[in-house]
């Protein structure tokens, strides 16, 4: 089958090959025919080495499709069923799951070190234990989440990661209060979803911050009340909050420099929500006095900071009701053969979310 493969970490282009095979099917597994997958910045970060991932590997973790086959012992899933892929399924029995923090379950990560594809030349890994830049993938049954018939594959794919992450950061993690002031630093697909989440929660002011003009313009259409370049953020803080700082600031870039800016832009007693996935060797520096004196809450948000299955259902309900716009998040559509074009669009900021149709 066809798949887009990165041969070595650090390469910036993928090779679309037709000699890849999905492996590992058996008890507790399902085989899925991928129909649509989103290009997430995490895929690019894994390619560059910012996020740890063994190579060669097939990127992609935000996908949807149809079940081709179901292994022994799998219940609740049938051949032909429409599903989205959950790249971080909950086991239901570990300490995190028992506490109700299923987004912190590590069971899904255990599969990331096991190759789930092969080529004539050897094994190939799937990013985050999935790998959706391909025609077929074999995953644990818990990764396959049924979707209603009225949810298109491209919308379902977005809900599988970016939308859930951004909405959840505002709703589950930060719990944005009505009438509050919000700044969102980084306005790609996840940042735009955080903006929509803040709007749903009733924020009075939502300032979108991004160096790319087209993204700033898009943010205004999704609910931001103002959009500024990074060098204008200090002025916006002064004008909107009287210099005190925003009640909530979302860092959706994944870099210590922007996290530090976000901290300084948050008011005393306010909330900094860290959504971006950064590198292991990129350290955020805070002194002990400011931590004590400012009493700012620093809240990381992993995969939306809540039960992902409930978050999926909520996103679908909000989309059906017209409360969130998911169709407009997809600004580019390409076939699998156009994956490198899509990567370039993401790196330059030209795309909010690219849907790869397979």
């Amino acid at each position: 089958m066809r798949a887009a493969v990165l041969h070595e970490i650090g390469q910036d282009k993928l090779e679309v090959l037709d000699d890849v095979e999905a492996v590992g099917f058996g008890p507790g597994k399902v085989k899925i025919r991928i129909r649509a997958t989103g290009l997430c910045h995490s895929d690019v970060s894994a390619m560059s080495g910012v996020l740890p991932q063994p190579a060669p590997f097939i990127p992609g973790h935000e996908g949807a499709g149809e079940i081709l086959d179901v292994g022994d012992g799998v219940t609740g899933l049938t051949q032909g069923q429409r599903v989205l892929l959950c790249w971080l399924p909950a086991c239901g029995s570990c300490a995190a799951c028992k506490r109700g923090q299923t987004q912190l379950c590590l069971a899904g990560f255990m599969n990331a070190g096991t190759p789930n594809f092969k080529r004539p030349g050897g094994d190939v890994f799937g990013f985050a234990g999935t790998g959706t830049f391909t025609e077929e993938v074999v995953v644990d049954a818990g990764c396959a989440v049924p979707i209603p018939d009225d949810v298109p594959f491209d919308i379902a794919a977005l809900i599988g990661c970016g939308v859930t992450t951004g909405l959840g950061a505002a709703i589950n993690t930060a719990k944005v209060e009505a009438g509050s002031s919000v700044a969102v630093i980084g306005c790609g697909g996840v940042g735009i979803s955080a903006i929509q989440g803040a709007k749903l929660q009733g924020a009075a002011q939502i300032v979108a911050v991004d160096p790319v003009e087209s993204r700033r313009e898009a943010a205004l259409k999704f609910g931001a009340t103002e959009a500024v370049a990074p060098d204008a953020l200090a002025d916006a803080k002064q004008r909107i909050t009287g210099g005190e700082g925003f009640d909530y600031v979302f860092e959706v870039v994944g870099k210590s420099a922007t996290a530090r800016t976000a901290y300084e832009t948050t008011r005393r007693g306010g909330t900094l929500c860290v959504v971006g996935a950064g590198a292991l060797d990129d350290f955020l520096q805070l002194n002990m006095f400011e931590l004590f004196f400012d009493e700012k809450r620093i809240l990381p948000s992993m995969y939306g900071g809540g039960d992902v299955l409930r978050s999926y259902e909520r996103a679908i309900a909000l989309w059906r009701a017209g409360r969130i716009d998911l169709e407009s998040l997809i600004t580019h559509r390409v076939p699998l053969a156009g994956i490198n074009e899509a990567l370039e669009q993401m790196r330059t900021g030209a795309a909010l979310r690219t849907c790869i149709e397979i």
Side-chain angles (χ1 to χ4, degrees), residues 31-309:
K31 179 182 287 188
I32 299 172
R33 171 65 168 94
I34 300 296
R35 295 296 182 183
T37 181
L39 174 56
C40 180
H41 198 273
S42 296
D43 300 311
V44 178
S45 295
M47 291 172 61
S48 67
V50 169
L51 297 180
Q53 170 64 45
F57 78 97
I58 296 172
H61 61 289
E62 190 181 76
E66 300 161 330
I67 294 180
L68 292 176
D69 205 354
V70 177
D72 292 342
V74 175
T75 59
L77 297 172
T78 59
Q79 191 175 32
Q81 198 166 19
R82 304 168 78 255
V83 295
L84 65 76
L85 269 79
C86 173
W87 60 271
L88 192 59
C91 71
S93 60
C94 69
C97 286
K98 289 179 179 178
R99 286 192 297 264
Q101 295 177 302
T102 56
Q103 77 278 12
L104 300 182
C105 178
L106 294 175
F109 284 114
M110 302 306 174
N111 294 323
T114 301
N116 48 345
F117 301 96
K118 70 176 182 179
R119 296 182 59 223
D123 292 333
V124 178
F125 297 89
F127 177 46
T130 55
T132 56
F133 293 177
T134 179
E135 293 178 322
E136 298 177 9
V137 63
V138 172
V139 293
D140 283 344
C143 295
V145 180
I147 55 174
D149 290 341
D150 66 328
V151 182
F153 287 125
D154 53 0
I155 297 299
L158 296 185
I159 292 172
C161 185
V163 169
T164 293
T165 298
L167 283 180
I171 299 171
N172 298 330
T173 306
K175 296 180 174 63
V176 171
E177 293 187 0
S180 60
S181 60
V182 172
V184 177
I185 302 176
C187 297
V190 177
I192 291 294
S193 296
I195 288 171
Q196 295 200 75
K199 180 183 178 182
L200 282 167
Q201 292 289 96
Q205 292 92 24
I206 304 174
V207 177
V209 185
D210 199 281
V212 180
E213 183 179 2
S214 62
R215 288 190 173 186
R216 297 197 298 270
E217 293 173 350
L220 295 171
K221 298 176 182 177
F222 284 95
T225 56
E226 186 172 340
V228 301
D231 59 6
L233 177 57
D235 175 68
K237 171 186 170 182
Q238 183 64 39
R239 285 186 293 100
I240 296 172
T241 73
E244 182 184 22
F246 294 89
D247 297 317
Y248 302 88
V249 180
F250 294 85
E251 196 280 345
V252 201
V253 179
K255 293 186 177 181
S256 60
T258 46
R260 180 68 214 189
T261 297
Y263 182 89
E264 294 168 355
T265 308
T266 305
R267 68 165 172 83
R268 293 186 67 215
T271 297
L272 162 59
C273 187
V274 180
V275 188
L280 289 168
D281 58 354
D282 188 12
F283 295 94
L284 171 63
Q285 291 192 337
L286 300 166
N287 67 62
M288 293 304 294
F289 178 78
E290 64 186 340
L291 275 177
F292 159 77
F293 187 71
D294 290 339
E295 202 178 289
K296 299 179 183 181
R297 297 188 304 160
I298 302 175
L299 301 177
S301 185
M302 176 74 170
Y303 207 176
D307 182 90
V308 294
L309 299 183

Side-chain angles (χ1 to χ4, degrees), residues 2-27:
R2 292 182 308 140
V5 178
L6 186 83
H7 297 287
E8 296 180 6
I9 300 299
Q11 293 178 334
D12 60 0
K13 291 186 178 181
L14 300 170
E15 185 177 7
V16 179
L17 304 169
D18 60 6
D19 61 355
V20 180
E21 180 183 351
V23 298
F25 182 74

